[in-house]
PDB file of all heavy atoms in Angstrom:
ATOM      1  N   TYR A1670     168.814 -12.779 -28.007  1.00  0.00           N
ATOM      2  CA  TYR A1670     167.819 -13.835 -27.546  1.00  0.00           C
ATOM      3  C   TYR A1670     168.088 -14.155 -25.990  1.00  0.00           C
ATOM      4  O   TYR A1670     167.014 -14.271 -25.284  1.00  0.00           O
ATOM      5  CB  TYR A1670     168.102 -15.092 -28.357  1.00  0.00           C
ATOM      6  CG  TYR A1670     167.065 -16.107 -28.131  1.00  0.00           C
ATOM      7  CD1 TYR A1670     165.877 -16.146 -28.853  1.00  0.00           C
ATOM      8  CD2 TYR A1670     167.298 -17.247 -27.267  1.00  0.00           C
ATOM      9  CE1 TYR A1670     164.883 -17.130 -28.640  1.00  0.00           C
ATOM     10  CE2 TYR A1670     166.344 -18.214 -27.043  1.00  0.00           C
ATOM     11  CZ  TYR A1670     165.202 -18.077 -27.757  1.00  0.00           C
ATOM     12  OH  TYR A1670     164.191 -19.064 -27.540  1.00  0.00           O
ATOM     13  N   GLU A1671     169.257 -14.202 -25.611  1.00  0.00           N
ATOM     14  CA  GLU A1671     169.494 -14.365 -24.211  1.00  0.00           C
ATOM     15  C   GLU A1671     168.998 -13.254 -23.308  1.00  0.00           C
ATOM     16  O   GLU A1671     168.471 -13.489 -22.188  1.00  0.00           O
ATOM     17  CB  GLU A1671     170.984 -14.665 -23.913  1.00  0.00           C
ATOM     18  CG  GLU A1671     171.590 -15.959 -24.533  1.00  0.00           C
ATOM     19  CD  GLU A1671     170.958 -17.144 -23.893  1.00  0.00           C
ATOM     20  OE1 GLU A1671     170.549 -17.211 -22.811  1.00  0.00           O
ATOM     21  OE2 GLU A1671     170.731 -18.058 -24.741  1.00  0.00           O
ATOM     22  N   ILE A1672     169.163 -12.076 -23.758  1.00  0.00           N
ATOM     23  CA  ILE A1672     168.609 -10.865 -23.097  1.00  0.00           C
ATOM     24  C   ILE A1672     167.108 -10.963 -22.962  1.00  0.00           C
ATOM     25  O   ILE A1672     166.487 -10.642 -21.977  1.00  0.00           O
ATOM     26  CB  ILE A1672     169.079  -9.538 -23.722  1.00  0.00           C
ATOM     27  CG1 ILE A1672     170.583  -9.361 -23.598  1.00  0.00           C
ATOM     28  CG2 ILE A1672     168.274  -8.336 -23.151  1.00  0.00           C
ATOM     29  CD1 ILE A1672     171.081  -8.159 -24.308  1.00  0.00           C
ATOM     30  N   SER A1673     166.465 -11.409 -24.065  1.00  0.00           N
ATOM     31  CA  SER A1673     165.024 -11.638 -24.123  1.00  0.00           C
ATOM     32  C   SER A1673     164.567 -12.643 -23.073  1.00  0.00           C
ATOM     33  O   SER A1673     163.517 -12.389 -22.375  1.00  0.00           O
ATOM     34  CB  SER A1673     164.442 -12.004 -25.469  1.00  0.00           C
ATOM     35  OG  SER A1673     164.955 -11.058 -26.489  1.00  0.00           O
ATOM     36  N   ILE A1674     165.348 -13.748 -22.909  1.00  0.00           N
ATOM     37  CA  ILE A1674     164.968 -14.713 -21.894  1.00  0.00           C
ATOM     38  C   ILE A1674     165.100 -14.053 -20.483  1.00  0.00           C
ATOM     39  O   ILE A1674     164.181 -14.267 -19.645  1.00  0.00           O
ATOM     40  CB  ILE A1674     165.983 -15.866 -21.984  1.00  0.00           C
ATOM     41  CG1 ILE A1674     165.689 -16.673 -23.267  1.00  0.00           C
ATOM     42  CG2 ILE A1674     165.691 -16.895 -20.787  1.00  0.00           C
ATOM     43  CD1 ILE A1674     166.627 -17.831 -23.517  1.00  0.00           C
ATOM     44  N   LEU A1675     166.172 -13.315 -20.236  1.00  0.00           N
ATOM     45  CA  LEU A1675     166.349 -12.686 -18.945  1.00  0.00           C
ATOM     46  C   LEU A1675     165.177 -11.734 -18.640  1.00  0.00           C
ATOM     47  O   LEU A1675     164.656 -11.718 -17.477  1.00  0.00           O
ATOM     48  CB  LEU A1675     167.652 -12.026 -18.953  1.00  0.00           C
ATOM     49  CG  LEU A1675     167.987 -11.159 -17.657  1.00  0.00           C
ATOM     50  CD1 LEU A1675     168.042 -12.079 -16.442  1.00  0.00           C
ATOM     51  CD2 LEU A1675     169.310 -10.317 -17.861  1.00  0.00           C
ATOM     52  N   ILE A1676     164.754 -10.958 -19.643  1.00  0.00           N
ATOM     53  CA  ILE A1676     163.716 -10.002 -19.419  1.00  0.00           C
ATOM     54  C   ILE A1676     162.378 -10.755 -19.130  1.00  0.00           C
ATOM     55  O   ILE A1676     161.637 -10.376 -18.292  1.00  0.00           O
ATOM     56  CB  ILE A1676     163.532  -9.141 -20.683  1.00  0.00           C
ATOM     57  CG1 ILE A1676     164.677  -8.140 -20.720  1.00  0.00           C
ATOM     58  CG2 ILE A1676     162.175  -8.301 -20.648  1.00  0.00           C
ATOM     59  CD1 ILE A1676     164.693  -7.295 -22.057  1.00  0.00           C
ATOM     60  N   SER A1677     162.175 -11.756 -19.810  1.00  0.00           N
ATOM     61  CA  SER A1677     160.939 -12.589 -19.623  1.00  0.00           C
ATOM     62  C   SER A1677     160.983 -13.142 -18.190  1.00  0.00           C
ATOM     63  O   SER A1677     159.892 -13.210 -17.531  1.00  0.00           O
ATOM     64  CB  SER A1677     160.928 -13.830 -20.558  1.00  0.00           C
ATOM     65  OG  SER A1677     159.725 -14.476 -20.463  1.00  0.00           O
ATOM     66  N   LYS A1678     162.156 -13.625 -17.692  1.00  0.00           N
ATOM     67  CA  LYS A1678     162.259 -14.119 -16.314  1.00  0.00           C
ATOM     68  C   LYS A1678     161.859 -13.125 -15.286  1.00  0.00           C
ATOM     69  O   LYS A1678     161.141 -13.380 -14.341  1.00  0.00           O
ATOM     70  CB  LYS A1678     163.642 -14.702 -16.002  1.00  0.00           C
ATOM     71  CG  LYS A1678     163.965 -15.934 -16.688  1.00  0.00           C
ATOM     72  CD  LYS A1678     165.373 -16.365 -16.301  1.00  0.00           C
ATOM     73  CE  LYS A1678     165.706 -17.738 -16.984  1.00  0.00           C
ATOM     74  NZ  LYS A1678     167.131 -18.122 -16.636  1.00  0.00           N
ATOM     75  N   ILE A1679     162.349 -11.872 -15.597  1.00  0.00           N
ATOM     76  CA  ILE A1679     162.127 -10.705 -14.552  1.00  0.00           C
ATOM     77  C   ILE A1679     160.677 -10.385 -14.582  1.00  0.00           C
ATOM     78  O   ILE A1679     160.026 -10.263 -13.566  1.00  0.00           O
ATOM     79  CB  ILE A1679     162.904  -9.551 -14.949  1.00  0.00           C
ATOM     80  CG1 ILE A1679     164.394  -9.773 -14.770  1.00  0.00           C
ATOM     81  CG2 ILE A1679     162.556  -8.270 -14.200  1.00  0.00           C
ATOM     82  CD1 ILE A1679     165.383  -8.722 -15.309  1.00  0.00           C
ATOM     83  N   VAL A1680     159.992 -10.302 -15.728  1.00  0.00           N
ATOM     84  CA  VAL A1680     158.596  -9.973 -15.805  1.00  0.00           C
ATOM     85  C   VAL A1680     157.711 -11.061 -15.206  1.00  0.00           C
ATOM     86  O   VAL A1680     156.776 -10.829 -14.427  1.00  0.00           O
ATOM     87  CB  VAL A1680     158.083  -9.803 -17.314  1.00  0.00           C
ATOM     88  CG1 VAL A1680     156.688  -9.666 -17.368  1.00  0.00           C
ATOM     89  CG2 VAL A1680     158.816  -8.611 -17.897  1.00  0.00           C
ATOM     90  N   TYR A1681     158.064 -12.322 -15.448  1.00  0.00           N
ATOM     91  CA  TYR A1681     157.425 -13.550 -14.911  1.00  0.00           C
ATOM     92  C   TYR A1681     157.445 -13.498 -13.401  1.00  0.00           C
ATOM     93  O   TYR A1681     156.395 -13.732 -12.689  1.00  0.00           O
ATOM     94  CB  TYR A1681     157.887 -14.789 -15.508  1.00  0.00           C
ATOM     95  CG  TYR A1681     157.036 -15.968 -15.245  1.00  0.00           C
ATOM     96  CD1 TYR A1681     155.886 -16.184 -15.900  1.00  0.00           C
ATOM     97  CD2 TYR A1681     157.527 -16.925 -14.351  1.00  0.00           C
ATOM     98  CE1 TYR A1681     155.050 -17.274 -15.658  1.00  0.00           C
ATOM     99  CE2 TYR A1681     156.708 -18.074 -14.123  1.00  0.00           C
ATOM    100  CZ  TYR A1681     155.564 -18.282 -14.774  1.00  0.00           C
ATOM    101  OH  TYR A1681     154.703 -19.342 -14.575  1.00  0.00           O
ATOM    102  N   LYS A1682     158.581 -13.270 -12.860  1.00  0.00           N
ATOM    103  CA  LYS A1682     158.802 -13.278 -11.414  1.00  0.00           C
ATOM    104  C   LYS A1682     157.958 -12.085 -10.735  1.00  0.00           C
ATOM    105  O   LYS A1682     157.387 -12.262  -9.749  1.00  0.00           O
ATOM    106  CB  LYS A1682     160.233 -13.125 -11.027  1.00  0.00           C
ATOM    107  CG  LYS A1682     161.094 -14.365 -11.281  1.00  0.00           C
ATOM    108  CD  LYS A1682     162.501 -14.128 -10.870  1.00  0.00           C
ATOM    109  CE  LYS A1682     163.337 -15.426 -11.118  1.00  0.00           C
ATOM    110  NZ  LYS A1682     164.728 -15.277 -10.777  1.00  0.00           N
ATOM    111  N   ASN A1683     158.043 -11.028 -11.300  1.00  0.00           N
ATOM    112  CA  ASN A1683     157.203  -9.844 -10.851  1.00  0.00           C
ATOM    113  C   ASN A1683     155.713 -10.099 -10.886  1.00  0.00           C
ATOM    114  O   ASN A1683     154.995  -9.761  -9.929  1.00  0.00           O
ATOM    115  CB  ASN A1683     157.506  -8.529 -11.664  1.00  0.00           C
ATOM    116  CG  ASN A1683     158.886  -8.049 -11.406  1.00  0.00           C
ATOM    117  OD1 ASN A1683     159.547  -8.341 -10.387  1.00  0.00           O
ATOM    118  ND2 ASN A1683     159.428  -7.300 -12.382  1.00  0.00           N
ATOM    119  N   GLN A1684     155.287 -10.805 -11.947  1.00  0.00           N
ATOM    120  CA  GLN A1684     153.834 -11.145 -11.959  1.00  0.00           C
ATOM    121  C   GLN A1684     153.502 -12.192 -10.883  1.00  0.00           C
ATOM    122  O   GLN A1684     152.386 -12.018 -10.360  1.00  0.00           O
ATOM    123  CB  GLN A1684     153.580 -11.753 -13.384  1.00  0.00           C
ATOM    124  CG  GLN A1684     153.455 -10.788 -14.534  1.00  0.00           C
ATOM    125  CD  GLN A1684     153.224 -11.371 -15.833  1.00  0.00           C
ATOM    126  OE1 GLN A1684     153.650 -12.595 -16.084  1.00  0.00           O
ATOM    127  NE2 GLN A1684     152.640 -10.642 -16.764  1.00  0.00           N
TER     128      GLN A1684
END
Side-chain angles (χ1 to χ4, degrees):
Y1670 190 82
E1671 292 300 325
I1672 292 174
S1673 300
I1674 294 177
L1675 178 61
I1676 290 174
S1677 183
K1678 286 181 179 179
I1679 294 173
V1680 173
Y1681 191 72
K1682 287 181 179 179
N1683 289 337
Q1684 287 178 330

